[in-house]
């Protein structure tokens, strides 16, 4: 599972929710950092245990909400929206699924960092599949094994994806894919 921002959010979103406990807050001491004045330093706690995700408000100044209902502690699921102060996030199975094209679309459209109007590029079906595995946390070697390709082939595809999208690293690719209109 992942926690992704629904709009321009400063911090370390998207954040992969591995099993464990995570503090959401605006300081660097928090595991999930959201830099916004309406988010408390220690705003809320997310606990991922045995596939169950629990959210608990930590007496935040502006409240914690799930699907726009105020909560003190509750279970959240994929598809739920979490609001801390005025910042809205979503729990998703994969960051790519949050912006995945509909079944009618054959390409994954990406927006330029500087250009808010034009679509800058598209990915082929093979590239979309590789990106999907990458975003689910798979390494290049694991993707190669799953797709029955050589690691060199996967690396070559990734270089082509980076060039098309205009990034230089996997981290930049993830951020660019998650930018919202």
């Amino acid at each position: 599972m992942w926690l992704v921002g629904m709009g321009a959010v400063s911090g370390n979103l998207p954040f992969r929710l591995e099993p464990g406990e995570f503090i959401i807050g605006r300081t660097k001491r928090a595991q999930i950092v959201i830099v916004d004045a309406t988010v408390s330093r220690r705003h809320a706690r997310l606990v991922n245990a045995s596939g169950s995700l629990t959210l608990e408000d930590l007496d935040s100044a502006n409240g914690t909400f799930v699907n726009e209902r105020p909560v003190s502690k509750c279970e959240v699921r994929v598809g739920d929206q979490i609001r801390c102060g005025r910042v809205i996030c979503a729990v998703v199975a994969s960051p790519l699924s949050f912006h995945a094209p509909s079944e009618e679309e054959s390409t994954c459209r990406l927006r330029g960092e500087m250009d808010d109007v034009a679509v800058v590029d598209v990915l082929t079906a093979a590239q979309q599949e590789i990106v999907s595995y990458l975003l689910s946390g798979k390494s290049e070697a694991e993707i190669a094994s799953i797709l029955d390709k050589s690691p060199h082939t996967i690396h070559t595809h990734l270089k082509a994806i980076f060039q098309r999208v205009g990034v230089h690293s996997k981290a930049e690719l993830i951020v660019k894919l998650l930018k919202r209109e």
Side-chain angles (χ1 to χ4, degrees):
M1 286 185 282
W2 291 74
L3 185 66
V4 298
M6 309 249 319
V9 178
S10 292
N12 64 348
L13 295 177
F15 187 88
R16 188 168 187 180
L17 297 168
E18 298 284 345
E21 183 176 304
F22 310 98
I23 299 297
I24 300 171
R26 72 171 187 262
T27 68
K28 292 180 182 178
R29 290 184 184 170
Q31 290 82 25
I32 302 173
V33 178
I34 301 175
V35 183
D36 186 278
T38 64
V39 175
S40 297
R41 287 185 179 108
R42 288 179 43 89
H43 196 98
R45 176 188 346 251
L46 267 172
V47 179
N48 185 359
S50 304
S52 174
L53 192 61
T54 304
L55 176 69
E56 178 184 5
D57 182 75
L58 298 176
D59 296 322
S60 62
N62 293 309
T64 302
F65 301 80
V66 173
N67 300 323
E68 290 307 316
R69 291 192 175 114
V71 298
S72 57
K73 186 174 185 177
C74 74
E75 186 174 336
V76 292
R77 294 180 172 82
V78 171
D80 284 344
Q81 289 185 358
I82 296 172
R83 181 163 63 87
C84 296
R86 68 175 177 218
V87 177
I88 301 173
C89 302
V91 177
V92 296
S94 159
L96 189 59
S97 68
F98 184 62
H99 296 285
S102 68
E103 290 186 17
E104 295 81 35
E105 294 177 311
S106 62
T107 59
C108 178
R109 299 179 186 274
L110 302 174
R111 303 193 62 79
E113 285 185 279
M114 306 279 230
D115 184 357
D116 287 347
V117 179
V119 173
V120 297
D121 231 337
V122 294
L123 297 178
T124 67
Q127 290 170 339
Q128 287 183 49
E129 187 174 25
I130 290 168
V131 168
S132 175
Y133 284 121
L134 182 70
L135 291 174
S136 70
K138 304 285 187 219
S139 69
E140 289 181 37
E142 290 171 319
I143 296 169
S145 176
I146 291 167
L147 298 178
D148 197 27
K149 305 283 184 196
S150 76
H152 178 74
T153 299
I154 300 305
H155 186 74
T156 301
H157 275 296
L158 279 172
K159 285 182 3 184
I161 292 166
F162 292 172
Q163 186 175 14
R164 282 182 156 213
V165 178
V167 298
H168 299 93
S169 69
K170 293 174 190 173
E172 282 183 73
L173 176 64
I174 290 169
V175 168
K176 186 137 185 188
L177 285 170
L178 295 176
K179 283 198 180 223
R180 291 187 52 92
E181 299 179 5

